[in-house]
Amino acid sequence: MKLQQTILASFLVIMVLLVAGCASHQGSPATDSQNRKTPVATVPEELVKTSTASLSAIGDVLIHDSVYLDAETESGYDFNPMFEKVKPYLERSDITVANSESIIGGSDIGVSTYPSFNSPYEVGDALKNAGIDVVSMANNHTLDRGEKAVKNAINYWDKIGIAHSGASLSEEDQSQITTLTRNDITFSFLSYTYGTNGIESPAGKSYLVNRLDKENLQKEIAKAKEQSDVVVLSLHFGTEYERMPNAEQKEMAHFAAEQGADIILGHHPHVLQPAEWIETADGRKSFVVYSLGNFLSHQDELYRKIGGILHLTVEKTTDTDSTVISIKEPAFTATYVKNTNLREFEIDLLETVDPEKNKEIQAHMSTWMDDLQFDE
């Protein structure tokens, strides 16, 4: 009897389990609907490619007589010691840009200082040695020493392998967009100046310097966008010694960003002016720094001794349908030009020279940005 009861109990347990299993397997319509996943169209991971490249930029390299006299040697000039302390900060980026404010027309035509500058070729050698890859040549001093100095400078930049924009040897040369490619990202470089201190270009030779004009700027940016991923625009504009940009600068920067400029580097005021993001109508974010100040010069007033090194990361994401460029990780390192009795000129970190002034400059440069980092 006990055996029969045990067999019957086991049978009932098995039946309960079978019924529960069937119920669990079949489920309700609502439960099935919740469990089913709708396929989502995605780009296979192997077809998405991301590349990054870093870009740095410095302000005015303006060689006054006290600077080149300090660099003079028995056989020429040596500016290398002046860059020694900041060289590591210039070398670390994939591309570093400088504003060659005083034309390097060479010693053969006579070096000269303000108000009509001409600098030795050795300035170019020092910039090359310090890590500069490209220079802007369009500024109010480009024509100081005439066509000969411009030609000499262009030929020397070519000789030492530094790319340049803003001044040309011919109309054909001017029509070529300067580009550099790093890590599968192609950068184009355009440079323009508001004027040349009243000095006109020789007849028929307007190509010697690029003058700032909205119609031409629009065409050149469009052309550069066809040939590159990132458009880097140097603008020589603004009011000298003013620490904030004027209305014309802001309007021009916003115009350029809307045309497609991704990075806008400002020069001419000889003092630092803040940076900001510009959000364009097509949903991009362009970066502008209104003035990078003096990097090397002998202008005595405090804020004219302070310059800096801008650092940016460019990210390029490509899939089967599109390419997206993002400007990221903006950072700034403030610098200071020191000298002792008009000798021993050198560029040092402002943090090393005056930590409190460095904090003030950090606040100034980030006036309109909460994501600008400071590299010390």
Side-chain angles (χ1 to χ4, degrees):
M1 184 67 178
K2 289 183 179 179
L3 178 61
Q4 291 177 342
Q5 290 176 340
T6 301
I7 293 173
L8 179 61
S10 298
F11 176 76
L12 290 174
V13 170
I14 291 171
M15 290 301 293
V16 169
L17 291 174
L18 286 173
V19 171
C22 289
S24 174
H25 175 71
Q26 290 177 355
S28 67
T31 303
D32 281 350
S33 176
Q34 291 169 0
N35 288 339
R36 284 197 297 267
K37 293 183 179 180
T38 303
V40 178
T42 59
V43 178
E45 186 175 341
E46 63 269 18
L47 296 182
V48 178
K49 182 179 179 181
T50 300
S51 304
T52 61
S54 54
L55 180 139
S56 292
I58 61 175
D60 307 334
V61 179
L62 185 60
I63 309 300
H64 293 88
D65 54 357
S66 47
V67 179
Y68 63 68
L69 289 173
D70 183 37
E72 193 170 19
T73 68
E74 291 183 359
S75 58
Y77 298 87
D78 181 9
F79 295 89
N80 288 299
M82 300 180 185
F83 293 89
E84 201 60 37
K85 288 184 177 178
V86 293
K87 183 178 178 181
Y89 296 84
L90 301 176
E91 289 182 319
R92 74 184 189 190
S93 290
D94 295 305
I95 296 175
T96 303
V97 186
N99 178 43
S100 179
E101 180 92 4
S102 51
I103 198 84
I104 60 163
S107 303
D108 289 347
I109 63 173
V111 296
S112 55
T113 188
Y114 179 85
S116 184
F117 288 93
N118 180 53
S119 300
Y121 289 141
E122 288 90 338
V123 174
D125 297 331
L127 289 174
K128 175 75 173 180
N129 183 57
I132 301 301
D133 301 287
V134 57
V135 293
S136 170
M137 295 181 65
N139 59 73
N140 58 309
H141 291 291
T142 304
L143 297 179
D144 277 4
R145 295 294 299 275
E147 182 178 0
K148 178 66 173 175
V150 176
K151 288 184 174 181
N152 285 356
I154 290 174
N155 288 332
Y156 200 76
W157 292 125
D158 288 341
K159 178 181 177 181
I160 63 176
I162 289 186
H164 51 82
S165 63
S168 307
L169 296 174
S170 65
E171 288 183 358
E172 181 181 2
D173 183 31
Q174 188 181 41
S175 70
Q176 304 299 311
I177 302 293
T178 299
T179 63
L180 292 175
T181 301
R182 299 288 188 272
N183 304 335
D184 195 39
I185 302 176
T186 299
F187 295 77
S188 58
F189 298 89
L190 302 174
S191 303
Y192 300 88
T193 179
Y194 75 93
T196 51
N197 293 343
I199 303 173
E200 297 295 328
S201 298
K205 297 182 178 181
S206 60
Y207 53 77
L208 289 174
V209 61
N210 291 349
R211 297 176 187 273
L212 187 53
D213 170 80
K214 278 189 174 181
E215 183 177 351
N216 188 52
L217 185 62
Q218 184 179 33
K219 293 178 182 177
E220 291 298 294
I221 291 176
K223 185 176 179 180
K225 284 175 65 66
E226 293 176 354
Q227 301 179 26
S228 65
D229 301 302
V230 183
V231 178
V232 181
L233 174 64
S234 292
L235 293 179
H236 208 77
F237 63 172
T239 305
E240 288 187 320
Y241 317 128
E242 291 293 329
R243 298 186 64 214
M244 298 298 286
N246 59 36
E248 290 180 357
Q249 280 173 276
K250 299 201 75 170
E251 194 276 332
M252 183 61 74
H254 281 251
F255 173 82
E258 291 293 348
Q259 305 314 306
D262 297 292
I263 299 170
I264 301 169
L265 307 174
H267 308 288
H268 180 61
H270 300 299
V271 293
L272 292 171
Q273 293 181 345
E276 72 172 342
W277 293 109
I278 298 176
E279 296 187 7
T280 63
D282 61 1
R284 295 180 302 106
K285 283 180 69 174
S286 297
F287 179 89
V288 57
V289 56
Y290 286 99
S291 175
L292 281 167
N294 287 330
F295 194 70
L296 175 60
S297 77
H298 186 208
Q299 290 194 328
D300 265 340
E301 198 272 345
L302 174 61
Y303 290 112
R304 301 176 204 179
K305 294 182 177 183
I306 299 173
I309 309 168
L310 171 70
H311 313 278
L312 296 168
T313 298
V314 176
E315 182 179 86
K316 174 183 175 181
T317 304
T318 305
D319 59 32
T320 54
D321 299 319
S322 64
T323 296
V324 177
I325 294 295
S326 302
I327 313 300
K328 307 174 71 174
E329 300 172 349
F332 187 78
T333 306
T335 58
Y336 184 88
V337 181
K338 300 191 299 187
N339 74 88
T340 303
N341 298 323
L342 304 184
R343 289 293 183 268
E344 299 178 7
F345 278 85
E346 65 174 349
I347 308 158
D348 203 349
L349 300 185
L350 182 59
E351 169 66 21
T352 302
V353 176
D354 189 338
E356 287 304 311
K357 182 59 65 175
N358 189 54
K359 291 179 182 177
E360 177 196 320
I361 292 300
Q362 291 178 352
H364 176 65
M365 294 303 290
S366 58
T367 299
W368 299 310
M369 295 184 66
D370 58 10
D371 58 341
L372 184 63
Q373 301 299 308
F374 296 96
D375 189 12
E376 298 166 358

